[in-house]
């Protein structure tokens, strides 16, 4: 499997641990189905990253909650998961018409274990390497009207160069005239100060981060999006009690931990 696709096992392993814990934050009980011997072997060296792992589960929960709100208001909403990995939301959340995009070997494996035909909501999976193939062509082939949509880009932006991110945003704007974009964005400072050891472990899988930005949200705004919300990932883990830091420290000495890695909500137009 492609090195970046292997990182999907990391996120899935985190959700498996969360689901097995006494107080799950996102409760993704389907995650463990994907964690076969190869997946568990890949995940093993990540077990020691307790706080980042719990924050990763909190990231997933933030996005679950944002999607649940939108799906409650519009059960027919189209949901596009770009770099879907082993995301099981189409099976776990009520409503939505789901389109999952990822690399071909990952999609093939996912569909063997959790077939589209078993999904309670309409679901299509489409193989793509969006670094090499045209995302706009693939989206145009699979989205045949201008209905509103929500796009999720989770755990992906840090692997994309600025050009690749800009190209993906342009494709989304061209193919989805009205959409929300939910996307986690990490600052350069956060990655250096808090993410270095995890990043080194991810690099051992072969997936290295791209050059990160000081203000990645400003980059998305410059590309034609309106900023509609942001959620601190570590802050959510703290709210759930899955990481423990005194609030006053978090809100003063550790402000860069609070603010350097967030889930953002953008709207287009
Ligand atoms: C860290 S995983 C996150 C997966 C999932 N969104 C989650 O949060 O569990 C990154 C995902 O992005 C996908 N990805 C990265 N670059 C890609 C590309 N150029 N084309 C298609 N998928 C890509 C990988 O295959 C992988 O599944």
């Amino acid at each position: 499997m492609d090195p970046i696709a292997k990182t999907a096992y990391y996120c899935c392993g985190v959700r498996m641990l969360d689901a097995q814990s006494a107080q799950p934050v996102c409760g993704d009980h389907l995650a463990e189905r994907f964690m076969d011997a190869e997946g568990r072997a890949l995940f093993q060296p990540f077990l020691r990253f307790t706080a980042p792992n719990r924050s990763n589960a909190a990231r997933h929960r933030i996005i679950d909650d944002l999607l649940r709100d939108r799906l409650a208001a519009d059960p027919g909403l189209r949901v596009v998961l770009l770099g879907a990995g082993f995301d099981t939301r189409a099976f776990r959340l009520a409503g939505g018409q789901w389109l999952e995009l990822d690399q071909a070997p990952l999609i093939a494996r996912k569909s063997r274990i959790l077939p589209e035909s078993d999904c309670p909501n309409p679901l299509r999976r489409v193989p793509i390497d969006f670094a090499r193939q045209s995302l706009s062509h693939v989206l145009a082939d699979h989205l045949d009207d201008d209905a509103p949509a929500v796009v999720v880009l989770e755990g992906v932006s840090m692997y994309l160069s600025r050009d690749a991110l800009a190209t993906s945003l342009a494709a989304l704007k061209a193919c989805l005239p009205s959409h929300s974009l939910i996307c986690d964005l990490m600052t350069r400072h956060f990655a250096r100060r808090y993410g270095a050891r995890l990043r080194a472990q991810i690099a051992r899988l072969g997936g290295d981060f791209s050059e990160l930005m000081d203000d990645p949200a400003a980059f998305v705004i410059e590309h034609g999006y309106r900023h509609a919300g942001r959620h601190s990932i570590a802050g959510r883990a703290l709210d759930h009690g899955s990481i423990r830091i005194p609030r006053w420290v978090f809100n003063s000495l550790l402000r860069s931990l609070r603010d350097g890695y967030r889930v953002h909500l953008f709207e287009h137009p």
Side-chain angles (χ1 to χ4, degrees), residues 26 104 170 186 210 223:
C26 51
M186 185 183 289
S210 179
H223 284 78

Side-chain angles (χ1 to χ4, degrees), residues 67-148:
L67 288 174
R68 278 195 187 99
D69 285 351
R70 276 162 184 70
L71 291 170
D74 179 2
L77 186 64
R78 289 188 306 190
V79 187
V80 180
L81 303 178
L82 213 52
F86 298 120
D87 183 314
T88 65
R89 291 185 176 108
F91 290 73
R92 293 189 296 108
L93 305 189
Q97 302 183 59
W98 299 75
L99 180 64
E100 298 184 349
L101 305 179
D102 208 299
Q103 305 193 32
L106 188 143
I107 291 283
R109 185 169 148 54
K110 189 172 188 181
S111 293
R112 274 198 304 278
I113 295 170
L114 204 57
E116 286 156 270
S117 54
D118 289 356
C119 187
N121 298 304
L123 165 66
R124 268 180 301 170
R125 295 194 177 121
V126 179
I128 180 178
D129 178 347
F130 46 77
R132 292 190 183 83
Q133 288 168 265
S134 161
L135 177 60
S136 18
H137 287 160
V138 171
L139 288 176
D141 284 349
H142 290 88
L143 301 171
D144 43 17
D145 60 45
D146 288 348

Side-chain angles (χ1 to χ4, degrees), residues 4-5 7-8 11 15 59-60 83-85 102-103 106 128-131 154-156 159:
I4 300 185
T7 62
C11 297
R15 295 195 289 272
R59 175 184 92 190
H60 208 70
D102 208 299
Q103 305 193 32
L106 188 143
I128 180 178
D129 178 347
F130 46 77
E154 181 182 9
V156 178
Y159 300 103

Side-chain angles (χ1 to χ4, degrees):
M1 201 181 269
D2 170 273
I4 300 185
K6 286 184 187 168
T7 62
Y9 278 112
Y10 167 59
C11 297
C12 190
V14 158
R15 295 195 289 272
M16 175 186 73
L17 284 189
D18 172 68
Q20 293 168 345
S21 69
Q23 286 178 310
V25 167
C26 51
D28 180 0
H29 57 281
L30 295 168
E32 69 176 59
R33 292 203 195 181
F34 299 104
M35 298 302 286
D36 60 0
E38 184 196 359
R40 283 167 200 261
L42 286 171
F43 186 56
Q44 174 68 28
F46 291 94
L47 283 168
R48 65 197 167 103
F49 295 104
T50 308
N53 293 349
R54 291 179 179 175
S55 295
N56 194 299
R59 175 184 92 190
H60 208 70
R61 171 63 186 271
I62 294 170
I63 299 176
D64 277 3
D65 288 350
L66 289 169
L67 288 174
R68 278 195 187 99
D69 285 351
R70 276 162 184 70
L71 291 170
D74 179 2
L77 186 64
R78 289 188 306 190
V79 187
V80 180
L81 303 178
L82 213 52
F86 298 120
D87 183 314
T88 65
R89 291 185 176 108
F91 290 73
R92 293 189 296 108
L93 305 189
Q97 302 183 59
W98 299 75
L99 180 64
E100 298 184 349
L101 305 179
D102 208 299
Q103 305 193 32
L106 188 143
I107 291 283
R109 185 169 148 54
K110 189 172 188 181
S111 293
R112 274 198 304 278
I113 295 170
L114 204 57
E116 286 156 270
S117 54
D118 289 356
C119 187
N121 298 304
L123 165 66
R124 268 180 301 170
R125 295 194 177 121
V126 179
I128 180 178
D129 178 347
F130 46 77
R132 292 190 183 83
Q133 288 168 265
S134 161
L135 177 60
S136 18
H137 287 160
V138 171
L139 288 176
D141 284 349
H142 290 88
L143 301 171
D144 43 17
D145 60 45
D146 288 348
V150 56
V151 178
V152 177
L153 189 69
E154 181 182 9
V156 178
S157 63
M158 59 284 275
Y159 300 103
L160 301 181
S161 66
R162 284 178 199 213
D163 283 353
L165 181 57
T167 305
S168 300
L169 298 177
L172 292 175
K173 285 186 293 175
C175 300
L176 296 166
S178 166
H179 70 274
S180 311
L181 171 65
I182 298 173
C183 176
D184 57 304
L185 296 172
M186 185 183 289
T187 65
R188 187 198 320 259
H189 176 75
F190 182 98
R192 275 207 200 119
R193 181 163 174 197
Y194 306 104
R197 285 188 320 128
L198 179 62
R199 184 176 173 172
Q201 192 61 52
I202 289 172
R204 280 182 209 118
L205 288 183
D208 201 7
F209 285 10
S210 179
E211 167 90 35
L212 297 179
M213 295 177 243
D214 293 326
D215 189 353
F219 183 84
V220 178
I221 293 163
E222 277 161 27
H223 284 78
Y225 283 84
R226 182 170 58 79
H227 205 186
R230 59 189 186 190
H231 305 264
S232 165
I233 292 173
R236 180 60 75 92
L238 204 58
D239 292 345
H240 285 292
S242 51
I243 63 172
R244 290 181 200 281
I245 302 168
R247 281 276 171 191
W248 74 267
V249 177
F250 189 63
N251 289 325
S252 55
L253 302 173
L254 292 180
R255 263 193 313 224
S256 58
L257 176 66
R258 184 188 70 187
D259 299 339
Y261 188 29
R262 294 191 275 213
V263 172
H264 294 265
L265 174 65
F266 300 98
E267 300 289 349
H268 175 76

